[in-house]
Amino acid sequence: MALFAPQRNVVIGAAVVGVLVLYVLGSETRPDQDAGSTANPSQCRIASTVDGLRVRSAPTLDSAIVDRLNSGDETDADKVVENGFRKIGEGRWVSAEFTRPLPGRDCG
C-alpha cells in the first residue's frame, strides 16, 4: 500500500489544481454575466445607430469634432438635449437623431 501513496498525492494535487483553474476561469466570466443586473437604470445610456457618428465639442454643427462612434457603440449620456444634440460628457455632444436609448434606461 505504501507504494501507491505518492501516486495518490499526485492525483489529489492535480484535482485541487483543476478545481482552482475552474474557479479562476469562472470568476473571469461572472462580471459580464452580472453586468445587466448591476446597471443603474436611472443612468441614461445610449447606442449609436450609424457608423462614424460625430462627437462634437458643443451642441452645434460647426463645433469641433472630438471623436466618432460606430454603429452599436454604447456610452453613458446625460438627459440633457440641446439643439438636437445629447450631451455624453464634458465637451462631448452627439446628434440625438442618430442614437437610441438602451432598454430600461432613463434618458427622459
Side-chain angles (χ1 to χ4, degrees):
M1 286 289 235
L3 291 174
F4 297 108
Q7 292 173 342
R8 182 175 37 177
N9 289 341
V10 169
V11 170
I12 291 171
V16 169
V17 169
V19 168
L20 289 173
V21 168
L22 290 174
Y23 177 79
V24 169
L25 291 175
S27 68
E28 289 177 0
T29 59
R30 270 184 242 134
D32 292 338
Q33 294 168 352
D34 295 338
S37 65
T38 60
N40 181 357
S42 66
Q43 170 66 48
C44 177
R45 190 160 174 87
I46 60 169
S48 172
T49 60
V50 295
D51 280 330
L53 177 61
R54 295 175 189 99
V55 179
R56 297 188 177 270
S57 61
T60 63
L61 287 174
D62 60 347
S63 59
I65 298 169
V66 297
D67 200 359
R68 292 180 191 267
L69 299 176
N70 288 319
S71 182
D73 284 354
E74 297 179 4
T75 185
D76 289 335
D78 291 349
K79 294 180 183 180
V80 176
V81 176
E82 187 177 316
N83 297 327
F85 288 85
R86 181 174 298 276
K87 186 175 183 180
I88 62 169
E90 202 58 44
R92 296 176 59 84
W93 298 78
V94 293
S95 174
E97 178 181 357
F98 301 109
T99 65
R100 63 174 171 74
L102 294 184
R105 295 305 188 99
D106 181 15
C107 293

